[in-house]
Amino acid sequence: MSKKDEFKINTEELEELDFDELKLEDLPIIPLRDQIMVPYIIFPIIVGRKGSIEAVQKAIAENNNKIFSVTQKKNAQLDKYPAANDLYRYGCICSITQMFKLPDGTMRIILQGEYKAKVLRYNKTGNFYTAKLDICYEIEDDTTIEFKSIIKTFHKYFKEYVKLNKNLPTDMFKGVSEIKNAQELYYFTLANLEIPLVQKQILLEIEDINIAFKKLIEIIFQEIEVLKLQNDLEQKVKIHIAKSQKEYFLNEQLKIIHRELGMGESEADDLSDLKSRIVQANLSDEARKKAEEEFKKLSRLSPHMPEYFVVFHYLNWILDLPWQPAEFKDIDLNNSQEILDRDHYGLEKVKERILEYLAIMKISDKIKGQILCFVGPPGVGKTSLGKSIAEALGREFIRLSLGGVRDEAEIRGHRRTYIGAIPGVVIQSMKKAGTRNPLIMMDEIDKLSSDFRGDPASALLEVLDPEQNKSFRDHYLDFGFDLSSVMFITTANSTSSIPRPLLDRMEIISIPGYTEIEKREIALRHLLKKKVNELTLEDRIKINIDGKVIQEIIRKYTRESGVRELERKIGTILRKLTKEYVDGKIKDKVTIDQKKVEDYLGAAPFVDSEIPQKDGIGVVVGLAWTQVGGEILTIEALKFKGSGKIVITGHIGQVMQESAKAAYSYARNHAEELGIDPDFYKKTDIHIHVPEGAVPKDGPSAGVSMATALISLLSDRKVFHNVAMTGEITLTGRVLAIGGLTEKLMAAKRSGVNKVIIPKQNYAVWTEVKDEIKENIEFIFAETIDDVLAIAIEPLVNAKSKVKKEKEKDGNTNSKKRKDA
């Protein structure tokens, strides 16, 4: 206690006290265990320790029944008389009012507390201690406003404490309120307060009665708060127990009702299991409300009713969905780079864009931006890229194929209006994943179609929009389900058939295809090992195959942008090797050379070049883009006498027909300067044909090819066979930009073309094409059709000279015929 808290006694005010009686020297000590003695209180105790019994005997015999009671500390041994260090310094001088000896040798004494005293010194006397004491006199001034306020506050809080504490008599406060002496009030409260013994000892040692009451009020207030919480918990426990008992009785009644309805124990167990799953599941508020409503309905239905199984399966669908919060793995860009490089050779720009996307996810800790859409021909690795991203992110990978989906219910689910209704593929995928944050890849999003049953592309708008899919509503579930933690990636062969609103929600990443060198590396690093593992040949046959052989397979047996056909050819070779190994024709080691490739795969289907082998009139090599990559498009034109009709064949679409008509109009408008008979449209019929007529062809990139073929035909000028071209033409002769340039150039590279004409507007795109594709090809950037004609067909002067010579030769021949005649 600080000095300012010490209460100084005015000796003049204490002159009337009997100091001879109160100042006691060598008073016997009786230690108390787990108890405290205070003035004004009568308290019975049992004395059993030898030292304590001797102290009581000395007090009765020599000290006028006076004894000093003090509480021993917790570290004291309970079965032995404690040492001086194990006793507190403050205690109470008591009078022994009664003493009874018990048969077992112990004593029962009744103590009456008289004065609080402080030990100045402990003295060892035989088996017990005596103490030199200093009595603590406490004087209160009950006339001050502050002290009256303290006493009033004390009564207020102690009344509430007695009311809340069920261990105290209800009439205790009445007795307390009748005590007028402040010291007696304080010690009476201290004796009856249910607080730890250490706190009681602290309160006993405070010498200033004002400070003591303030501390007492503070402790009583804390105890009131504890009692309120304790009583509240007890009330809740009682309510819970009552509710549990009520549920028990209701469940027993329900079992009887189920038995009366013919419901077996298995159905009842199913209901009990469903109930517990609903309680334990971390459902959203809307889902929980729906589940509880349906469970009430189910509990009233008979298992023999069809609706019972509809509701039962609906509840199982709800509970099988992942409801736990999503756990996100920390994104490691270096590890992601290693996974992408391990699984995919080449595609540097694609992998760079994916890493940028993952970097944004890392710093934002959630999915941001548009949905990625991988666009490219089949077999270029769109789906496997999605698997690699899922592995890098530590997410479950789920693949959805949207090809041919034409019913909106396949996306949004079927309404529960009939037996057999199920959720849509999105909710099915969430159940399959078992987590809130899978990676769902939607393959072939460009193959969606629509009919009278709805538009599935419109249903996907909500799924793929990060601002809307927080509460995606499936028709079957009929409540919102959060898809915001799902990472969606889509794939397509072409963007032309994807609806514009849906395309707007996706970021297109083009995967044009692989060059021959990339295909060779992919085959050696991935495809060959994959097929060897599939056929379990790794421990049986050592297969040697070099890059030159793979390159021969690529050139002569495949014509594709991806590597799917190449994988099939390698699989064919390995299957034939396996058969020879089983037949014993080969041992544990084999080398595959060009001869074995021919033996296993047969004659090469692509030995000859796709382009014409010599210059010709009206024959042009065009470049086209298809959903499976770039292709060579040979356009042929013929003329014959007629009335100016134009025929276009080859199963071409509306766009290419319009390109042919635009080229025809341009040729007619510029006939003289192009060396064409201005009246050709009156006496010449024209037939334009695009071979392989069974294959549908369409797209805005054949105008230049059509115009060149027509002008070559009508001006009798040959087209150079080693020149390929692409671009659209306007009526004024401008050459417009086209799409799919990389795929078209790869087709030109495969076909052996050494000169390519492309629109000048595509120059920026051309600069991003790999150098490997552009190697050994001369590029001409055309702004008008005149730029194309200057490179693609022979000059007009040479053509006129040639025509003149042919006419002179024909004239000489006719003159000779007339002479002979």
Side-chain angles (χ1 to χ4, degrees):
M1 182 180 298
S2 63
K3 291 183 177 181
K4 67 178 183 178
D5 293 334
E6 294 181 0
F7 188 83
K8 301 298 182 180
I9 302 176
N10 188 344
T11 55
E12 295 179 358
E13 297 177 353
L14 299 178
E15 289 179 355
E16 58 188 21
L17 294 177
D18 189 354
F19 283 95
D20 294 336
E21 180 183 353
L22 297 179
K23 289 184 179 180
L24 302 174
E25 300 285 344
D26 297 328
L27 201 64
I29 299 292
I30 180 168
L32 301 180
R33 293 178 295 187
D34 299 323
Q35 297 174 12
I36 190 168
M37 195 66 193
V38 296
Y40 302 101
I41 300 300
I42 298 174
F43 195 75
I45 60 173
I46 301 296
V47 181
R49 288 183 289 199
K50 183 178 180 181
S52 298
I53 293 175
E54 291 180 0
V56 170
Q57 291 173 345
K58 177 176 172 60
I60 295 173
E62 302 177 11
N63 294 85
N64 197 22
N65 294 340
K66 302 295 183 184
I67 196 167
F68 182 68
S69 66
V70 63
T71 304
Q72 65 186 49
K73 299 176 183 177
K74 287 293 183 181
N75 58 350
Q77 296 184 10
L78 299 180
D79 56 341
K80 295 182 179 179
Y81 195 87
N85 292 333
D86 295 331
L87 299 174
Y88 287 108
R89 291 291 174 175
Y90 282 84
C92 182
I93 299 174
C94 303
S95 293
I96 303 174
T97 59
Q98 290 184 9
M99 187 271 290
F100 303 96
K101 292 184 178 180
L102 301 177
D104 58 356
T106 62
M107 293 181 179
R108 182 178 183 275
I109 63 175
I110 297 177
L111 299 178
Q112 181 173 356
E114 294 183 351
Y115 303 99
K116 180 173 76 174
K118 179 180 179 180
V119 178
L120 301 177
R121 184 180 67 251
Y122 282 112
N123 299 315
K124 183 74 172 177
T125 305
N127 294 320
F128 61 93
Y129 282 104
T130 62
K132 183 179 180 181
L133 304 175
D134 184 12
I135 296 177
C136 300
Y137 296 99
E138 298 164 318
I139 299 176
E140 74 279 356
D141 187 358
D142 58 359
T143 61
T144 63
I145 297 176
E146 180 185 5
F147 189 76
K148 291 179 179 180
S149 175
I150 291 173
I151 298 299
K152 187 175 182 180
T153 303
F154 164 78
H155 280 100
K156 173 185 174 182
Y157 283 116
F158 189 72
K159 180 179 181 181
E160 186 174 1
Y161 174 76
V162 173
K163 183 179 179 182
L164 291 172
N165 195 331
K166 299 177 181 177
N167 296 328
L168 298 178
T170 55
D171 58 346
M172 174 174 283
F173 178 73
K174 183 179 180 181
V176 169
S177 61
E178 294 176 353
I179 299 176
K180 303 302 180 182
N181 184 288
Q183 295 182 30
E184 182 179 357
L185 177 65
Y186 178 78
Y187 289 122
F188 180 83
T189 305
L190 181 60
N192 290 280
L193 201 62
E194 292 186 349
I195 58 175
L197 191 65
V198 175
Q199 283 189 327
K200 286 189 175 185
Q201 183 67 34
I202 293 172
L203 292 172
L204 176 66
E205 294 179 3
I206 299 175
E207 297 184 0
D208 189 329
I209 194 67
N210 287 13
I211 296 175
F213 263 109
K214 290 178 182 179
K215 184 65 177 176
L216 182 64
I217 291 171
E218 180 182 339
I219 292 176
I220 291 174
F221 179 77
Q222 294 175 356
E223 290 297 309
I224 288 172
E225 295 300 317
V226 173
L227 288 171
K228 284 181 179 179
L229 180 60
Q230 182 179 347
N231 292 340
D232 185 53
L233 290 175
E234 289 179 359
Q235 188 66 22
K236 288 181 179 179
V237 170
K238 288 182 179 179
I239 293 173
H240 178 72
I241 294 174
K243 184 178 179 181
S244 300
Q245 291 176 342
K246 180 180 178 181
E247 288 180 354
Y248 172 76
F249 289 118
L250 291 175
N251 285 328
E252 291 298 318
Q253 292 177 352
L254 190 60
K255 289 179 182 179
I256 297 173
I257 294 172
H258 286 164
R259 284 197 296 268
E260 294 296 326
L261 293 174
M263 184 183 296
E265 293 184 1
S266 60
E267 289 85 357
D269 292 340
D270 290 341
L271 286 178
S272 177
D273 180 58
L274 273 178
K275 181 64 177 177
S276 61
R277 289 176 65 191
I278 292 172
V279 172
Q280 297 172 8
N282 188 30
L283 303 177
S284 65
D285 294 340
E286 190 178 6
R288 183 171 298 281
K289 180 180 179 182
K290 197 74 177 176
E292 290 175 350
E293 289 176 356
E294 293 297 320
F295 182 80
K296 289 179 181 178
K297 183 191 299 182
L298 182 69
S299 61
R300 294 192 296 267
L301 294 174
S302 170
H304 305 294
M305 299 175 65
E307 190 179 358
Y308 178 89
F309 294 100
V310 173
V311 178
F312 182 80
H313 290 304
Y314 173 72
L315 287 172
N316 274 287
W317 264 107
I318 295 177
L319 297 172
D320 289 341
L321 291 174
W323 291 104
Q324 294 301 322
E327 296 182 1
F328 294 94
K329 175 186 175 183
D330 186 45
I331 299 174
D332 187 344
L333 292 183
N334 293 328
N335 181 55
S336 302
Q337 178 80 61
E338 291 176 2
I339 293 173
L340 291 172
D341 290 340
R342 179 199 68 194
D343 297 340
H344 300 86
Y345 180 82
L347 304 177
E348 300 303 329
K349 290 187 177 180
V350 175
K351 290 190 282 191
E352 182 181 356
R353 177 63 189 90
I354 291 172
L355 290 174
E356 291 171 359
Y357 188 84
L358 298 183
I360 294 173
M361 290 182 61
K362 179 179 178 65
I363 63 174
S364 64
D365 200 27
K366 59 181 179 179
I367 298 174
K368 284 282 187 182
Q370 293 175 307
I371 307 299
L372 295 183
C373 180
F374 298 141
V375 178
V380 294
K382 299 186 294 296
T383 304
S384 60
L385 274 172
K387 292 181 180 178
S388 299
I389 295 173
E391 181 181 350
L393 295 175
R395 296 179 178 229
E396 289 291 326
F397 177 80
I398 303 295
R399 176 182 172 272
L400 290 181
S401 180
L402 300 178
V405 173
R406 62 179 64 244
D407 188 354
E408 181 188 356
E410 294 190 48
I411 304 296
R412 286 190 175 276
H414 302 262
R415 300 187 186 277
R416 290 187 297 123
T417 55
Y418 58 92
I419 297 176
I422 57 173
V425 292
V426 177
I427 295 299
Q428 291 181 39
S429 299
M430 296 302 297
K431 175 185 175 182
K432 182 179 179 181
T435 177
R436 294 287 290 274
N437 62 333
L439 188 151
I440 297 180
M441 172 159 277
M442 296 184 171
D443 268 341
E444 300 175 324
I445 198 169
D446 57 327
K447 306 297 191 304
L448 286 171
S449 57
S450 59
D451 59 11
F452 64 93
R453 287 170 288 189
D455 183 8
S458 299
L460 280 177
L461 292 177
E462 183 182 358
V463 176
L464 298 181
D465 193 334
E467 300 300 326
Q468 298 183 35
N469 60 14
K470 293 180 181 179
S471 58
F472 171 69
R473 187 169 291 272
D474 186 275
H475 289 158
Y476 181 82
L477 296 180
D478 196 26
F479 59 78
F481 189 81
D482 187 2
L483 299 176
S484 60
S485 298
V486 180
M487 182 176 182
F488 291 100
I489 296 179
T490 62
T491 70
N493 297 134
S494 167
T495 59
S496 59
S497 57
I498 302 177
R500 212 58 211 167
L502 187 58
L503 188 64
D504 181 64
R505 283 162 172 79
M506 298 184 291
E507 179 170 348
I508 304 301
I509 298 181
S510 296
I511 307 177
Y514 299 107
T515 62
E516 286 186 1
I517 295 177
E518 288 176 334
K519 288 181 181 179
R520 183 188 65 197
E521 293 299 322
I522 291 170
L524 293 174
R525 298 185 185 197
H526 301 290
L527 302 183
L528 188 61
K529 293 179 181 178
K530 177 183 176 182
K531 286 299 178 183
V532 167
N533 291 333
E534 285 181 3
L535 299 172
T536 64
L537 299 176
E538 63 273 10
D539 297 328
R540 295 182 173 87
I541 309 174
K542 185 178 181 181
I543 302 171
N544 294 323
I545 182 170
D546 59 18
K548 293 182 179 179
V549 176
I550 294 292
Q551 197 155 343
E552 284 296 308
I553 298 174
I554 293 170
R555 288 180 176 176
K556 295 183 178 181
Y557 291 91
T558 64
R559 286 285 172 87
E560 58 175 346
S561 297
V563 292
R564 194 165 289 164
E565 185 63 25
L566 177 59
E567 183 179 354
R568 295 191 190 101
K569 296 301 180 185
I570 292 174
T572 301
I573 293 172
L574 295 181
R575 286 196 301 272
K576 292 185 181 295
L577 277 177
T578 304
K579 182 176 181 298
E580 291 183 358
Y581 174 78
V582 173
D583 292 341
K585 295 180 181 179
I586 59 174
K587 300 299 182 181
D588 57 352
K589 187 176 182 181
V590 63
T591 299
I592 299 176
D593 53 19
Q594 189 171 349
K595 185 178 182 303
K596 282 188 177 293
V597 170
E598 293 177 357
D599 293 340
Y600 292 151
L601 299 181
F606 303 112
V607 176
D608 297 328
S609 175
E610 296 178 69
I611 63 175
Q613 297 303 303
K614 60 181 181 179
D615 301 344
I617 295 175
V619 180
V620 177
V621 178
L623 298 175
W625 180 93
T626 68
Q627 292 186 356
V628 294
E631 293 291 343
I632 291 293
L633 197 66
T634 305
I635 298 175
E636 300 174 345
L638 288 177
K639 65 178 179 178
F640 38 87
K641 291 182 179 181
S643 58
K645 294 180 181 179
I646 178 170
V647 179
I648 307 171
T649 58
H651 201 175
I652 63 178
Q654 183 68 29
V655 177
M656 289 186 68
Q657 290 186 26
E658 292 175 357
S659 297
K661 293 175 182 178
Y664 182 83
S665 297
Y666 179 84
R668 181 177 171 182
N669 191 47
H670 298 80
E672 291 185 4
E673 59 188 85
L674 294 173
I676 301 172
D677 182 2
D679 296 328
F680 76 90
Y681 65 92
K682 297 180 181 179
K683 52 187 177 182
T684 305
D685 287 348
I686 298 173
H687 185 175
I688 300 175
H689 178 65
V690 183
E692 299 184 29
V695 180
K697 294 172 282 293
D698 199 10
S701 62
V704 169
S705 305
M706 296 274 192
T708 303
L710 276 172
I711 294 170
S712 167
L713 176 69
L714 296 172
S715 63
D716 292 322
R717 289 188 281 172
K718 291 183 179 180
V719 179
F720 301 123
H721 71 281
N722 62 341
V723 177
M725 63 188 70
T726 181
E728 193 53 72
I729 187 176
T730 67
L731 290 176
T732 59
R734 290 189 304 115
V735 178
L736 303 180
I738 46 86
L741 180 63
T742 304
E743 291 89 340
K744 293 176 181 179
L745 295 185
M746 290 177 66
K749 181 77 172 179
R750 288 198 307 266
S751 301
V753 172
N754 54 25
K755 189 177 293 185
V756 176
I757 302 173
I758 63 176
K760 190 174 183 180
Q761 297 179 15
N762 283 106
Y763 178 79
V765 180
W766 175 84
T767 58
E768 298 181 356
V769 177
K770 296 178 182 177
D771 293 336
E772 180 189 340
I773 300 174
K774 297 186 285 190
E775 188 179 1
N776 298 325
I777 298 179
E778 179 184 354
F779 292 93
I780 294 90
F781 299 95
E783 192 170 1
T784 65
I785 190 63
D786 294 335
D787 298 333
V788 177
L789 298 177
I791 301 299
I793 64 177
E794 62 181 353
L796 182 60
V797 176
N798 294 345
K800 287 183 177 180
S801 176
K802 183 179 178 182
V803 170
K804 184 177 180 181
K805 288 180 181 180
E806 289 179 352
K807 287 183 178 180
E808 289 177 354
K809 183 179 179 181
D810 291 342
N812 294 335
T813 302
N814 292 335
S815 298
K816 186 178 179 182
K817 286 182 179 179
R818 286 194 295 271
K819 286 180 182 179
D820 294 340

